Amino acid sequence: YIDIPESAIYIYYRVFARCTSLKSIKLPSNHAGVYAGLFYNCTSLETVYLPDDTYTIGEEAFRDCVNLKNVYFEDGTEIREISRKAFYNCESLEKIDLPYVGMIYESAFENCYRLKKVDVKEGLKAINKRAFYNCVSLNDFFIPESVNTIDSYALACFDYDNNIYVNGNFTIRGSKDSLADEFANAYGVKWGLPAPILKSVSNIKAGVKVSFKQVAGVTGKYRVYRKTEGTSWKKLADVTGSTYTDTTAKAGVKYTYTV
């Protein structure tokens, strides 16, 4: 494990490349980005912590980090781009919760065989060619309304040689009449609406207030659920707005909500 001091401002190209015993690292603030090839072929690297001022992940930054499992971003991180082959061949990566990202470039996550879930945020503009190619375990992908470009073979559902759909469980989620809907129809991929986004859960005088972001283009009711630890989800109500107040919540009990 390496914890680089905050006094380190510049961490140059391939500084840690082929450090095959490195397992975990925390990058300091004020270093601007993860530069090209910084952790290239660090085959034992499992966990990386990135600060909130990380604005770019450079070309081949984590390429061939075959044991990388966890990439943590601080709240408030805004990344301009994930560059070409940044996570190429990170075959142990199963999930990545991305902060705001502007662009995902060519082959950024190619050959991440175990990648099942990618969380992307509104604001993403483009998913370039082969960005998620050969991610054969990926079965659900949300495309925000902000995306205006999805290049050829960008997602895991196509064979490079003959355009054959590979993963039968793969579903693209996005708003109706959006690029996500268009893309799914054009290539015969399953399409579904994204889930509402839970914005906040807060205590108020009347009970517990649950606030969420409605799905664009969808009219109708949203179903609110609640559970306590070790129990199953219980339906509370169907609502037409974007908030619900749970008046039956009891003091001292920890609840989890979903919509």
Side-chain angles (χ1 to χ4, degrees):
Y1 173 76
I2 298 177
D3 188 350
I4 302 172
E6 293 292 324
S7 56
I9 298 174
Y10 297 108
I11 305 172
Y12 289 103
Y13 172 77
R14 293 206 173 198
V15 165
F16 298 104
R18 297 189 176 89
C19 289
T20 55
S21 295
L22 180 63
K23 290 188 174 182
S24 180
I25 191 163
K26 180 180 180 181
L27 293 181
S29 300
N30 303 317
H31 69 96
V34 182
Y35 293 114
L38 189 60
F39 299 102
Y40 172 76
N41 205 27
C42 290
T43 53
S44 297
L45 185 63
E46 295 181 358
T47 302
V48 176
Y49 300 90
L50 300 178
D52 60 6
D53 59 355
T54 302
Y55 77 88
T56 183
I57 297 179
E59 186 170 317
E60 298 187 335
F62 296 99
R63 178 174 178 170
D64 294 336
C65 292
V66 293
N67 281 299
L68 184 64
K69 297 180 178 69
N70 306 297
V71 182
Y72 297 112
F73 299 90
E74 282 189 358
D75 290 344
T77 303
E78 294 189 4
I79 296 178
R80 185 178 65 195
E81 60 194 25
I82 297 177
S83 301
R84 179 179 173 272
K85 296 190 175 181
F87 293 93
Y88 186 91
N89 277 348
C90 290
E91 57 187 53
S92 296
L93 192 64
E94 293 188 7
K95 181 183 183 299
I96 186 164
D97 187 357
L98 295 172
Y100 168 89
V101 176
M103 302 274 290
I104 300 177
Y105 280 96
E106 178 184 348
S107 300
F109 293 91
E110 183 171 341
N111 291 343
C112 292
Y113 303 119
R114 293 182 177 85
L115 188 62
K116 296 177 182 177
K117 185 173 175 57
V118 180
D119 289 327
V120 297
K121 308 292 188 291
E122 195 69 40
L124 179 65
K125 298 292 190 295
I127 306 171
N128 284 177
K129 64 181 181 179
R130 298 175 69 99
F132 294 93
Y133 172 69
N134 219 14
C135 294
V136 294
S137 299
L138 192 62
N139 53 29
D140 195 285
F141 195 94
F142 168 57
I143 299 177
E145 284 189 270
S146 55
V147 172
N148 54 44
T149 302
I150 306 175
D151 284 343
S152 57
Y153 309 110
L155 297 168
C157 48
F158 304 105
D159 179 86
Y160 184 70
D161 295 321
N162 54 15
N163 212 37
I164 292 176
Y165 184 68
V166 176
N167 185 352
N169 295 319
F170 188 72
T171 301
I172 287 177
R173 300 195 181 278
S175 300
K176 189 173 175 58
D177 299 323
S178 67
L179 187 60
D181 189 4
E182 223 176 275
F183 184 86
N185 286 330
Y187 293 99
V189 181
K190 292 178 186 176
W191 172 83
L193 290 168
I197 298 171
L198 198 64
K199 292 170 67 177
S200 66
V201 177
S202 56
N203 290 317
I204 61 174
K205 190 174 181 179
V208 177
K209 184 179 180 181
V210 179
S211 301
F212 58 94
K213 182 180 178 181
Q214 293 179 314
V215 178
V218 175
T219 57
K221 294 183 178 181
Y222 292 82
R223 184 160 292 175
V224 182
Y225 293 87
R226 183 187 78 186
K227 72 175 181 178
T228 55
E229 189 175 356
T231 65
S232 300
W233 290 109
K234 176 186 176 183
K235 175 189 168 184
L236 291 177
D238 290 334
V239 298
T240 54
S242 59
T243 63
Y244 170 74
T245 299
D246 180 5
T247 58
T248 64
K250 297 179 180 178
V253 179
K254 183 178 179 181
Y255 296 103
T256 302
Y257 295 87
T258 191
V259 182

